[in-house]
Amino acid sequence: MNKKNCEKILAIICAYNEERHIREVIEGTKKYVDKVLVVDDCSTDRTSEEVKKTDAIYIRHDKNKGKGGALRTGFSYFIENQYDAIVTIDGDGQHDPEEIPALIEALLSYDIIIGTRSKLGTGMPLIRIFTNFTCSLIVSILAFTWIKDTQSGYRVIKQQVLKNMPLVSNRFNLESELLIRAGRRRYKIGAVPVKTIYGDEKSKMNPIKDPLRFVGLVFKSILWW
């Protein structure tokens, strides 16, 4: 792992009812970063107990704010504590922490690196392949740059990108909002291939509300810079 321009790295894991995998993800992640932060978005299972068995920093929301709200909490901590780069990784075991070094290495040439997943032949449902392609195409158009997998939450981001970024979304749309704003500000967005891992976890996206929120994001983004 090359940390020439990222001397201090924080990993943030947004967690909502992730008792099955959260501890394993923390232990795998901490080998490659300076500190791991878990933002517990008001879980109702044993997520907090599992996190407290580790040395990760733990922040809990008193009410559920969605993934975007959890990310914004993590980004605030990241900026306030003056880390150089942040790794965002899901707590459900669908991201392999062993791939963090490759993501950080690629950050030497970019401002944001996205862990881009293979689609066909990996077990990803066809409806998700179609949705991912459609959303990636729309976000790429709005961001003025081609981004292959805009729905991947496995990312490494430099501090300068987030420091003055006026993010407002609270749900899954925040990940798309960040890319649109970053692209329009001409930050360089790159990609590194990562494994596509699927278990028996159910998607936390609402099949009705989240697509409608995405449509709303598209219209709102017209006024962004």
Side-chain angles (χ1 to χ4, degrees):
M1 177 174 55
N2 195 324
K3 294 174 65 176
K4 289 180 180 178
N5 64 341
C6 299
E7 295 181 358
K8 191 178 179 186
I9 302 175
L10 174 73
I12 173 175
I13 304 172
C14 298
Y16 177 65
N17 292 344
E18 303 292 4
E19 64 178 8
R20 292 177 59 192
H21 300 288
I22 191 66
R23 189 175 176 187
E24 177 185 357
V25 175
I26 292 170
E27 296 298 339
T29 299
K30 72 178 187 179
K31 296 183 291 183
Y32 305 110
V33 300
D34 295 285
K35 203 66 184 178
V36 176
L37 166 66
V38 175
V39 180
D40 182 351
D41 196 29
C42 198
S43 295
T44 56
D45 65 356
R46 299 179 62 257
T47 293
S48 63
E49 296 174 39
E50 291 300 308
V51 174
K52 290 174 182 177
K53 294 176 183 177
T54 73
D55 60 355
I57 304 164
Y58 179 71
I59 298 176
R60 178 180 170 84
H61 287 168
D62 292 331
K63 63 178 181 178
N64 184 273
K65 297 181 180 180
K67 188 175 184 181
L71 282 170
R72 288 168 63 186
T73 295
F75 291 162
S76 294
Y77 182 94
F78 166 69
I79 297 298
E80 290 169 5
N81 289 274
Q82 300 181 352
Y83 285 87
D84 298 300
I86 189 169
V87 178
T88 62
I89 180 170
D90 290 350
D92 59 5
Q94 291 192 8
H95 296 155
D96 182 359
E98 298 296 322
E99 295 176 308
I100 290 175
L103 297 176
I104 294 174
E105 183 76 22
L107 202 64
L108 289 169
S109 302
Y110 296 92
D111 302 301
I112 300 174
I113 292 294
I114 300 175
T116 302
R117 302 161 293 179
S118 299
K119 309 297 190 303
L120 296 175
T122 61
M124 181 181 284
L126 288 177
I127 185 63
R128 291 195 66 176
I129 294 174
F130 174 76
T131 301
N132 187 284
F133 174 79
T134 302
C135 290
S136 293
L137 178 61
I138 293 172
V139 171
S140 295
I141 292 170
L142 295 171
F144 308 144
T145 185
W146 172 242
I147 307 168
K148 188 176 180 181
D149 189 0
T150 63
Q151 305 306 294
S152 172
Y154 201 3
R155 304 177 178 182
V156 183
I157 309 167
K158 289 181 180 177
Q159 186 201 73
Q160 65 197 51
V161 177
L162 296 171
K163 195 167 185 180
N164 297 300
M165 187 75 75
L167 299 171
V168 297
S169 301
N170 282 322
R171 300 288 168 177
F172 287 97
N173 278 343
L174 182 130
E175 291 173 318
S176 295
E177 177 189 351
L178 171 60
L179 295 177
I180 293 170
R181 291 187 186 274
R184 291 186 179 183
R185 293 182 178 202
R186 299 188 178 181
Y187 286 114
K188 297 177 67 177
I189 302 172
V192 168
V194 297
K195 298 173 187 173
T196 304
I197 304 172
Y198 280 99
D200 56 358
E201 296 78 19
K202 294 182 179 180
S203 173
K204 295 182 175 66
M205 294 188 70
N206 186 296
I208 297 175
K209 291 182 179 180
D210 284 309
L212 289 175
R213 290 184 181 117
F214 183 78
V215 172
L217 177 78
V218 170
F219 286 103
K220 289 177 184 177
S221 69
I222 296 172
L223 302 176
W224 295 346
W225 58 274

